[in-house]
Amino acid sequence: MTILAIDPGLNTGIALSNGFTHTMRFSTKDDIAASVCRLGHYLKDLSEKYNVEKIIVERPFFPPRCKGAVIDLTNALIFETHRQGYTKQIKRKEYNSMTVRKELLGKGRRSKGQSVKEFDAEIKFNVCQRGFNPANEHEADAAALICAYHKINHCEGLSLTTDAPHNGTKLEKKCKNERNRKF
C-alpha cells in the first residue's frame, strides 16, 4: 500500500510511504484557483504513478498571526486533496499536528526552552531514522504523518519505505484526533 501525506500551507510538504518527499510553494498573491489546479495535477500524477491507496492530511492549526488569505489558500489545498482522493476512491484521513507529534516524539509540544528550529530538527531527525530524507521541515512534517499513521495502526515494526507497510488484516484503530472527511 502506498500512502500519500500532505502538510498543507504556503509551503506544502508532500511525502510518499516509499520515501519520496517534495515541497510545493504557493503564494497568497497568486490566484487560488491556479494554486489548487497546480496541486491537483501534481497529486493526480503522483497517485497514478505510485498507485496511492491512502491519503493522509495534516489538519491545520492557524495561529492568531495567520491572515485570511493564508487560511483560504490552505483550506482550498485541503479540499483539492480530498477531491483528488474522492474522485479516485482513495481512502482519506486527517490527523492534527498534536497527534502526529505525540506518536512520533512521545510529546505533542516543544520542551521548555526548546526553540521551534530545534523542535523541527527533532522531527526531521526522527523521520530520517525511519527511512525518509526530507529537505526541509515541511517535507519532514508530511513524512511524520506517515510515521504516525503506521504507529497508530500498529505497523511501526515494519519498514515505512516499502509499498506494503502491512498486510491489511489488522483493523484500523480510530483515534479521537483523527477524522475521515466526508463531503
Side-chain angles (χ1 to χ4, degrees), residues 133-144:
N133 188 20
N136 55 49
E137 68 272 13
H138 309 291
E139 293 176 15
D141 286 346

Side-chain angles (χ1 to χ4, degrees), residues 141-162:
D141 286 346
L145 283 163
I146 295 171
C147 297
Y149 171 82
H150 279 71
K151 190 164 183 188
I152 289 168
N153 291 287
H154 309 291
C155 307
E156 66 273 6
L158 303 171
S159 173
L160 296 180
T161 56
T162 64

Side-chain angles (χ1 to χ4, degrees), residues 46-59:
L46 281 179
S47 65
E48 290 172 357
K49 183 176 180 181
Y50 294 103
N51 194 26
V52 171
E53 296 177 38
K54 171 97 49 188
I55 297 175
I56 305 170
V57 180
E58 184 173 287
R59 193 175 323 139

Side-chain angles (χ1 to χ4, degrees), residues 7-164:
D7 175 33
L10 291 175
N11 296 302
T12 297
I14 299 170
L16 289 169
S17 57
N18 66 5
F20 172 83
T21 59
H22 179 70
T23 303
M24 291 187 78
R25 301 190 192 292
F26 299 101
S27 172
T28 55
K29 295 177 183 175
D30 295 337
D31 182 10
I32 287 181
S35 298
V36 167
C37 286
R38 195 171 67 137
L39 178 67
H41 288 298
Y42 190 72
L43 294 180
K44 181 178 181 250
D45 292 344
L46 281 179
S47 65
E48 290 172 357
K49 183 176 180 181
Y50 294 103
N51 194 26
V52 171
E53 296 177 38
K54 171 97 49 188
I55 297 175
I56 305 170
V57 180
E58 184 173 287
R59 193 175 323 139
F61 163 75
F62 296 110
R65 72 180 186 284
C66 273
K67 297 179 182 172
V70 172
I71 294 170
D72 292 344
L73 175 63
T74 302
N75 284 328
L77 298 174
I78 290 169
F79 289 136
E80 178 59 20
T81 302
H82 283 291
R83 189 191 73 78
Q84 287 291 324
Y86 177 79
T87 58
K88 295 195 170 297
Q89 298 179 343
I90 299 172
K91 294 179 183 176
R92 297 159 285 138
K93 291 203 179 283
E94 286 188 5
Y95 292 110
N96 67 32
S97 58
M98 185 72 74
T99 299
V100 173
R101 290 184 225 153
K102 281 182 183 175
E103 295 298 333
L104 184 68
L105 306 174
K107 61 182 182 179
R109 300 182 190 275
R110 292 181 282 149
S111 303
K112 189 171 183 167
Q114 186 179 31
S115 70
V116 172
K117 200 172 209 173
E118 291 169 334
F119 193 60
D120 287 342
E122 188 177 354
I123 291 169
K124 187 174 178 181
F125 174 78
N126 276 277
V127 298
C128 286
Q129 295 295 311
R130 291 169 170 84
F132 291 95
N133 188 20
N136 55 49
E137 68 272 13
H138 309 291
E139 293 176 15
D141 286 346
L145 283 163
I146 295 171
C147 297
Y149 171 82
H150 279 71
K151 190 164 183 188
I152 289 168
N153 291 287
H154 309 291
C155 307
E156 66 273 6
L158 303 171
S159 173
L160 296 180
T161 56
T162 64
D163 287 337

